[in-house]
Amino acid sequence: MTARPALLIATLFAGSALATAAPAADLTIGLKSEPTSMDPQFHNLATNTQVLENIFEGLTKQDAVQRLQPGLATKWEAVDDTTWRFTLRDGVKFQNGSAFTARDVLYTLCRPPLVENSPSSYTIYTGDIVDASAADDHTVIIKTEAANPLLPTNMASLPILSAEALGAEKTITYKPKGECEGLGDVPQSPAFNAPEVAVGTGPYELKEFTRGSQLVLTKFDGYWGDAPAWDTVTMRPITSDGPRVAALLAGDVDMIESPPIQDIPRIKDAGFKIVDALSNRIIYLHLYQQDDKAPSIEGTDGKNPLLDKRVREAISLAINRPAIVERIMGGYAVAAGELLPPPMFGTNGRDADTYDPDKAKQLLAEAGYPNGFTITLGTPNDRYINDEKVAQAIAQMLTRIGIKTNVDAMTASQFFSRRNALDFPVYLAGWGAASGEMSSPLKSLVATYDKATGMGPTNAGRYSNPDMDKVLIEAMSTIDDAKREDLLKKAEGLVLDDYGIIPLHYEQTVWAMKPALSYEARVDQYTIAAEVKPAQ
């Protein structure tokens, strides 16, 4: 099958018996991976976000193709280059009955630096805020250190918390770097597994979170927006592909995400509906580039070969991306030369590196490794489409040029924990741009790691390019869209020319469901229960 570059492609297949089934009042979804926490400020991870967006909402939100929409704010405006005014929606209630006001926004902006052991800190969205205040109960003024044209977009990724439910004082005073006043005893992430703490304004409220078993949401009758279609939503983590498909075919679940590519014909033949879309998720390799202490590398006399650009380029040239797309991804992917699929904002239109194993061997020899070396490639085995199979294929390709590669595959929860501990010299992972433009992957994946500023929170290879950092920071403070895009293109070019990170492919996301259901495939790959509807 040839990959389809259209942004949104839906193909419907309905068997007569399934097509005539009446929609139930409840919905059950089989998830590929379960969330790691019910704390919406703990881990900036798609498996968490897609669940928590049913419970919590941001000041702004994004639709299925990442167009910015009003959320808990009805409008926003730039007062000057560094000041934004947000007008909050009136009449909104939290699931505990308390009224949504500016106090809740201030609490939400204050908490990210105080979240302990966050694997991917939400300070990436708040780190440049120097002041925030309430002009009144429904007006918030936010000031940033420099011009930040993406602040309204960032607010879509920052779910609003209930100051009342979390024990804050009546008056909250914002101060940067985790020094706010009036927060009270800030609860840490484990506390959010309790429904009385995980309180938002969304269409569903948390009823039960039993790790490894199920997550149950119930309709919030006081929701300010359109009522969701389902009284109860049950989400079951079914991490193995076969059992997930079997659960759908047996009617144990109504919908699954990421069915195995090879099972799609069988699912269609059974009368189920397939929806798919090219996503903004880049699957990439990250390489340990901090120092010579890279783990799990042998045959280099204690040196870290990944510090040499020639070795990094050799790794990229050794990978046959078209073969991976066709043979492993079944055409449900596009070979990648960038960190976002063109023509998204900030892309250069750059093609994927051409497979060239002979040049790769030559580069290794020039770098002083004519006989190669041995390395370990870390990967999740249940997070991305065919992730372990892709890693195994890459390992074989690298071994052919002399880099003997062992694959260390594990569940997503284990992988992210070890990745963040810098356990891997090379790892395979993915990134979906929440903002829908280039600053998202650049700031998160390759900006020099700095916990204080929130830069590089997912840069577990510790790549650092001061020239790129400088251009990126300038781009993120440039209001003019054309100038900002040019700067983002330049910043990405600096990283890719340096082989600081190695793009592999863009995923095409697939959902399978009963034909009595309808779902608009999302570019961000989220499976959001509140957006699943009865078919018309």
Side-chain angles (χ1 to χ4, degrees), residues 286-295 297 303-308 312 419-427 447-451 456 459-465 500:
H286 221 319
L287 317 174
Y288 184 94
Q289 298 169 67
Q290 182 168 253
D291 49 39
D292 276 324
K293 298 179 181 179
I297 297 181
K303 294 181 180 180
N304 178 7
L306 305 177
L307 293 173
D308 193 313
R312 301 195 296 269
R419 180 198 69 178
N420 295 332
L422 310 188
D423 276 0
F424 306 117
V426 182
Y427 66 84
T448 300
Y449 176 74
D450 187 335
K451 185 176 181 179
N459 181 357
R462 294 299 190 262
Y463 172 75
S464 180
N465 185 329

Side-chain angles (χ1 to χ4, degrees), residues 73 84 88 121 177 185 194 238 280 362 441 472 504 525:
W84 289 87
L88 307 186
S121 177
K177 300 180 181 179
D185 187 10
I238 310 176
N280 68 13
Q362 177 185 337
L472 175 59
L504 298 174
Q525 299 187 304

Side-chain angles (χ1 to χ4, degrees), residues 330-354:
Y332 284 88
V334 175
E338 301 193 57
L339 299 180
L340 277 179
M344 295 187 77
F345 192 88
T347 55
N348 285 283
R350 186 166 178 151
D351 293 331
D353 275 357
T354 301

Side-chain angles (χ1 to χ4, degrees), residues 2-320:
T2 301
R4 292 158 289 177
L7 183 63
L8 187 64
I9 307 169
T11 308
L12 309 183
F13 292 82
S16 57
L18 289 169
T20 57
D26 298 338
L27 177 71
T28 303
I29 301 175
L31 300 178
K32 184 176 181 180
S33 301
E34 73 175 332
T36 61
S37 173
M38 289 294 99
D39 180 353
Q41 294 184 343
F42 177 65
H43 194 177
N44 190 11
L45 184 68
T47 51
N48 291 18
T49 301
Q50 68 175 10
V51 170
L52 295 170
E53 281 204 2
N54 296 287
I55 304 170
F56 300 90
E57 299 174 294
L59 294 181
T60 59
K61 63 181 180 179
Q62 293 175 313
D63 65 13
V65 293
Q66 293 193 295
R67 292 174 300 217
L68 199 63
Q69 308 286 328
L72 292 178
T74 56
K75 64 179 181 178
W76 49 93
E77 57 184 328
V79 178
D80 55 46
D81 282 355
T82 59
T83 307
W84 289 87
R85 179 188 292 113
F86 288 83
T87 301
L88 307 186
R89 192 176 296 276
D90 198 5
V92 175
K93 296 287 187 181
F94 281 96
Q95 293 146 5
N96 64 355
S98 63
F100 162 65
T101 68
R103 172 174 171 246
D104 304 297
V105 178
L106 296 182
Y107 186 97
T108 299
L109 296 175
C110 285
R111 185 172 175 265
L114 304 175
V115 178
E116 297 173 358
N117 304 314
S118 172
S120 184
S121 177
Y122 278 71
T123 55
I124 191 173
Y125 304 120
T126 63
D128 67 337
I129 296 176
V130 295
D131 189 42
S133 60
D136 55 49
D137 276 353
H138 292 91
T139 308
V140 174
I141 308 297
I142 300 177
K143 294 182 178 291
T144 55
E145 185 172 6
N148 183 354
L150 289 177
L151 185 70
T153 301
N154 289 345
M155 291 300 101
S157 298
L158 192 69
I160 300 299
L161 304 173
S162 168
E164 187 74 20
L166 301 182
E169 298 174 10
K170 293 299 182 183
T171 301
I172 296 173
T173 302
Y174 182 88
K175 293 184 179 180
K177 300 180 181 179
E179 297 179 355
C180 293
E181 298 175 356
L183 301 185
D185 187 10
V186 177
Q188 291 303 316
S189 299
F192 282 78
N193 292 345
E196 62 269 21
V197 177
V199 173
T201 61
Y204 286 100
E205 49 190 318
L206 178 65
K207 179 180 180 182
E208 173 194 340
F209 178 38
T210 304
R211 191 176 299 280
S213 176
Q214 65 180 16
L215 185 148
V216 181
L217 307 176
T218 55
K219 181 190 293 187
F220 172 37
D221 291 331
Y223 182 53
W224 62 268
D226 294 335
W230 317 105
D231 294 329
T232 302
V233 174
T234 302
M235 299 182 181
R236 297 177 182 167
I238 310 176
T239 57
S240 296
D241 290 340
R244 193 163 65 256
V245 172
L248 178 69
L249 297 178
D252 295 333
V253 300
D254 304 309
M255 174 182 183
I256 62 173
E257 57 183 10
S258 300
I261 304 303
Q262 61 271 19
D263 285 344
I264 288 178
R266 180 161 65 105
I267 294 171
K268 289 179 179 178
D269 289 343
F272 289 87
K273 180 185 296 184
I274 295 293
V275 175
D276 68 276
L278 182 66
S279 76
N280 68 13
R281 182 171 301 282
I282 177 68
I283 303 299
Y284 63 87
L285 293 183
H286 221 319
L287 317 174
Y288 184 94
Q289 298 169 67
Q290 182 168 253
D291 49 39
D292 276 324
K293 298 179 181 179
S296 304
I297 297 181
E298 300 175 1
T300 63
D301 295 326
K303 294 181 180 180
N304 178 7
L306 305 177
L307 293 173
D308 193 313
K309 175 186 170 182
R310 293 168 294 187
V311 173
R312 301 195 296 269
E313 182 178 0
I315 289 173
S316 183
L317 296 179
I319 299 170
N320 188 339

